[in-house]
């Protein structure tokens, strides 16, 4: 059995689901069921007194592992505060660190993210930092006690796929922590590619949420992640420049030249 | 004139006394005195199961909401979980 042991949990499904941007949150139970995801992210926000809304947690299967994110935080202090509130609210000890100051590309601030990771890991959180794929910072995240590192494939919500593949590949090669590709994955094939490269998991939100049929897309992503993972475990053969015949090169049904 | 001014000042103080100013989600808000947290949320039509409440920096368990009587300068953060990636 191929199990991802991470943050004190045993994860069987390597597709992690983000829950933002769904046309209706009421779709989420079906999305979770169709894909079999176990790890689900949520965000924490101030209540809007003008608009009564359901608590997102009511849509998430109680068996799921919750990964609250610190979205909205611009500094380590803000991220730490959000993480502590989420844990006190009963969301468990997992947290995805997201510290962003850049509004155009929503690229993470690796420095503030590292500071947050150091503080929260000391406090016993399972810390999942969302980061730009930088080897040196990833090493520091590991040394700070991160449970995994989560490099972006391309900017959040862009559906542009694994634009950072070479840098992600280096992280997979060099960092002895699970590498979870987060952000930018737009299609199941791109999720499969990340898994074939040896990513431990992928986190997908927008690509599922904005699909014509989010439930069917979630199922497709789940299968792609499984296929990619199995392909990685099976050990792909080497790529070659020239052809190498698959059928024998002897015993042809013609006279010899 | 002097006595009238004094009288005005006193009535102003009296007026101030019957309103409690607290901060809700970063916004200064006036509430009636002796209001407890549970009643405040009820008047704002907040379902207890839907929110997390931080009172002066600490998360408060729902069971304690009726016991917290809001005082001048208290700070409340009323939060909820939403979809996010």
């Amino acid at each position: 059995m191929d199990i991802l042991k991470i943050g004190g949990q045993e994860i069987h499904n390597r597709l992690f689901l983000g829950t933002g941007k769904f046309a209706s949150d009421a779709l989420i139970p079906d999305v979770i069921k169709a894909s079999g995801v176990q790890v689900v992210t949520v965000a924490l926000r101030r209540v809007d007194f003008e608009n009564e809304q359901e608590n997102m947690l009511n849509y998430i299967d109680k068996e799921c592992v919750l990964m609250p994110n610190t979205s909205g935080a611009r500094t380590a202090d803000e991220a730490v505060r959000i993480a502590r509130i989420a844990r006190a609210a009963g969301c468990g000890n997992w947290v995805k660190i997201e510290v962003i100051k850049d509004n155009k590309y929503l690229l993470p601030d690796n420095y503030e993210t590292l500071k947050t990771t150091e503080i929260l890991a000391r406090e016993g959180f399972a810390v999942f930092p969302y980061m730009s794929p930088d080897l040196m910072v990833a090493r520091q995240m590991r040394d700070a006690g991160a449970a995994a590192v989560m490099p972006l494939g391309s900017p959040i919500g862009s559906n542009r796929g694994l634009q950072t593949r070479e840098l992600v590949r280096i992280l997979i090669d060099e960092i002895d922590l699970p590498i979870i590709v987060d952000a930018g994955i737009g299609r199941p094939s791109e999720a499969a590619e990340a898994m074939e490269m040896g990513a431990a998991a992928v986190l997908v939100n927008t690509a599922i949420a904005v699909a014509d049929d989010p439930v069917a897309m979630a199922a497709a992503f789940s299968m792609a992640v499984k296929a990619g993972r199995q392909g990685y475990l099976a050990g792909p053969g080497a790529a070659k420049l020239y052809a190498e015949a698959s059928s024998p090169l002897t015993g042809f049904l013609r006279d010899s030249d | 004139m002097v006595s009238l001014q004094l009288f005005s000042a006193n009535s102003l103080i009296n007026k101030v006394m019957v309103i409690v100013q607290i901060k809700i989600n970063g916004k200064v808000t006036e509430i009636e005195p002796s209001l407890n947290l549970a009643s405040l949320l009820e008047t704002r039509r907040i379902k207890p199961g839907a929110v997390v409440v931080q009172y002066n920096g600490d998360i408060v368990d729902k069971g304690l909401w009726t016991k917290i009587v809001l005082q001048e300068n208290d700070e409340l953060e009323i939060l909820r979980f939403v979809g996010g990636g």
Side-chain angles (χ1 to χ4, degrees):
Chain A
M1 196 63 186
D2 177 36
I3 294 169
L4 175 59
K5 288 186 182 164
I6 190 169
Q9 302 277 353
E10 294 193 346
I11 305 301
H12 301 264
N13 190 315
R14 291 167 183 264
L15 172 65
F16 294 5
L17 178 73
T19 55
K21 296 189 200 162
F22 282 86
S24 162
D25 291 342
L27 281 169
I28 288 169
D30 288 338
V31 165
I32 291 173
K33 207 169 161 193
S35 57
V37 294
Q38 274 179 280
V39 178
V40 179
T41 66
V42 290
L44 191 67
R45 288 291 181 276
R46 282 175 167 168
V47 163
D48 172 5
F49 295 105
E50 308 305 317
N51 293 304
E52 200 179 331
Q53 276 163 307
E54 194 60 49
N55 184 347
M56 174 55 68
L57 302 188
N58 294 340
Y59 292 116
I60 299 172
D61 191 303
K62 299 288 172 271
E63 298 296 307
C64 288
V65 177
L66 289 173
M67 187 197 267
N69 68 34
T70 65
S71 64
R74 288 155 303 174
T75 62
D77 284 348
E78 290 175 8
V80 165
R81 184 172 167 225
I82 295 167
R84 287 176 181 157
I85 293 171
R87 181 162 73 172
C91 277
N93 70 336
W94 282 36
V95 63
K96 169 181 159 179
I97 310 301
E98 199 177 315
V99 185
I100 294 174
K101 292 171 184 156
D102 162 52
N103 288 329
K104 187 173 179 187
Y105 290 107
L106 298 177
L107 292 178
D109 181 327
N110 276 357
Y111 176 66
E112 293 291 319
T113 303
L114 176 60
K115 280 204 288 185
T116 312
T117 301
E118 284 166 350
I119 295 167
L120 294 178
R122 273 203 303 271
E123 294 183 11
F125 282 86
V127 185
F128 295 79
Y130 168 62
M131 62 178 296
S132 288
D134 179 286
L135 177 60
M136 300 309 139
V137 181
R139 283 189 176 135
Q140 290 172 300
M141 298 283 190
R142 177 199 59 201
D143 296 343
V149 292
M150 303 213 292
L152 58 101
S154 50
I156 293 175
S158 67
N159 285 342
R160 292 184 57 221
L162 210 50
Q163 301 293 332
T164 58
R165 63 172 57 70
E166 186 55 20
L167 297 170
V168 169
R169 187 194 66 73
I170 292 170
L171 295 192
I172 291 169
D173 193 34
E174 290 292 311
I175 303 290
D176 48 4
L177 279 181
I179 306 298
I180 299 167
V181 178
D182 179 9
I185 291 192
R187 293 161 188 275
S189 55
E190 293 157 0
E193 183 190 354
M195 296 306 295
E196 274 176 13
M197 280 167 55
V202 295
L203 199 164
V204 180
N205 188 159
T206 302
I208 293 173
V210 307
D212 289 344
D213 183 343
V215 176
M217 189 58 88
F221 264 102
S222 185
M223 287 188 281
V225 166
K226 285 189 182 82
R229 175 66 183 172
Q230 206 164 327
Y232 167 74
L233 292 175
K240 288 175 184 169
L241 188 55
Y242 298 111
E244 194 175 280
S246 306
S247 307
L249 292 173
T250 55
F252 292 127
L253 279 71
R254 56 178 153 78
D255 297 335
S256 58
D257 298 327
Chain B
M1 276 311 273
V2 173
S3 66
L4 191 64
Q5 270 178 354
L6 272 173
F7 177 76
S8 302
N10 281 337
S11 75
L12 191 66
I13 289 165
N14 284 338
K15 222 171 185 174
V16 168
M17 292 297 280
V18 297
I19 288 172
V20 174
Q21 276 196 341
I22 64 168
K23 226 183 226 185
I24 302 178
N25 288 354
K27 207 169 133 191
V28 176
T29 308
E30 294 181 344
I31 59 164
E32 56 185 276
S34 323
L35 194 64
N36 72 46
L37 183 53
S39 309
L40 172 82
L41 294 175
E42 210 181 305
T43 61
R44 306 268 165 153
R45 288 181 295 159
I46 299 291
K47 283 191 269 176
V51 295
V52 179
V53 178
Q54 208 181 15
Y55 171 68
N56 294 334
D58 297 318
I59 300 271
V60 236
D61 198 76
K62 287 176 189 64
L64 297 173
W65 288 0
T66 53
K67 297 196 171 65
I68 291 176
V69 177
L70 298 163
Q71 311 285 334
E72 187 77 11
N73 297 327
D74 276 350
E75 291 191 14
L76 286 179
E77 285 284 349
I78 303 170
L79 310 162
R80 65 190 184 92
F81 286 99
V82 298

